[in-house]
Amino acid sequence: MGFFDKLFGTKQEEEKTMSKSNIGIILGSTREGRVSPQVGAWVKELADKRGDANYTIIDIADYKLPLLGEAGGDASGAAAWSEIIAKQDGFVFIVQEYNHSITGALKNALDYLREEWGNKAAGIVSYGSVGGARATEHLRGILGELLVADVRVHPALSLFTDFENGTVFKPADVQAASVNQMLDQVIPWTTALNTIRK
Ligand SMILES: Cc1cc2nc3c(=O)[nH]c(=O)nc-3n(C[C@H](O)[C@H](O)[C@H](O)COP(=O)(O)O)c2cc1C
């Protein structure tokens, strides 16, 4: 590899990146002090090691979406939200349990779009006192309506054993394998669904 290739990457590497699917890792919580950025960063690190897709963290908080249709709400972030979701071929939702369901912020962000979600695959990584299981089951129903194909394997993180004091993320060793098994299902489904969308 020549000097310039080392600096800028080879043409083959560039072509590989372009042909790989884009997977958005969506942070479902937006509150101050949230732990979702820690969980999202961990999933991205594991995913990037695989080298099988272009993984991007997507933070709903960055788009400052008002409630859908809210009078007087500043919806200037809505176009960028549509654009970033349209660019993805698949998703990993980082889901936290709020009152036995998903956050209002994630529900609102899902409601904002329709076509942009459709015919794409998704995996779910959740956390809560019982691993975010109840929120995940609610999300699966919503994703069905949006034509998102969510895979079976579901890493479920416990606030008691995968976090210290419920705030510092320290995942048990077994959880990394679960993320990889989930991605092993998301990537082929993403590839398959690309063929009916593109
Ligand atoms: C409004 C609210 C409701 C919650 N309800 C539940 C719940 O029903 N079940 C549960 O396991 N945890 C519940 N929790 C705990 C959250 O899962 C935990 O605080 C988690 O860290 C929230 O994710 P975040 O830090 O990314 O916002 C709730 C937290 C909040 C803020």
Side-chain angles (χ1 to χ4, degrees), residues 169-191:
F169 186 45
K170 296 263 171 76
D173 290 345
V174 291
Q175 300 293 8
S178 180
V179 169
N180 275 305
Q181 285 160 13
M182 176 270 292
L183 293 172
D184 286 347
Q185 297 185 338
V186 170
I187 298 303
W189 276 22
T190 297
T191 308

Side-chain angles (χ1 to χ4, degrees), residues 29 31 34-36 96-100 127-129 134:
S29 60
R31 72 176 179 95
R34 65 202 168 136
V35 301
S36 54
Q96 41 296 123
E97 187 164 302
Y98 280 25
N99 294 318
H100 288 206
Y127 50 90
S129 58
R134 296 164 293 212

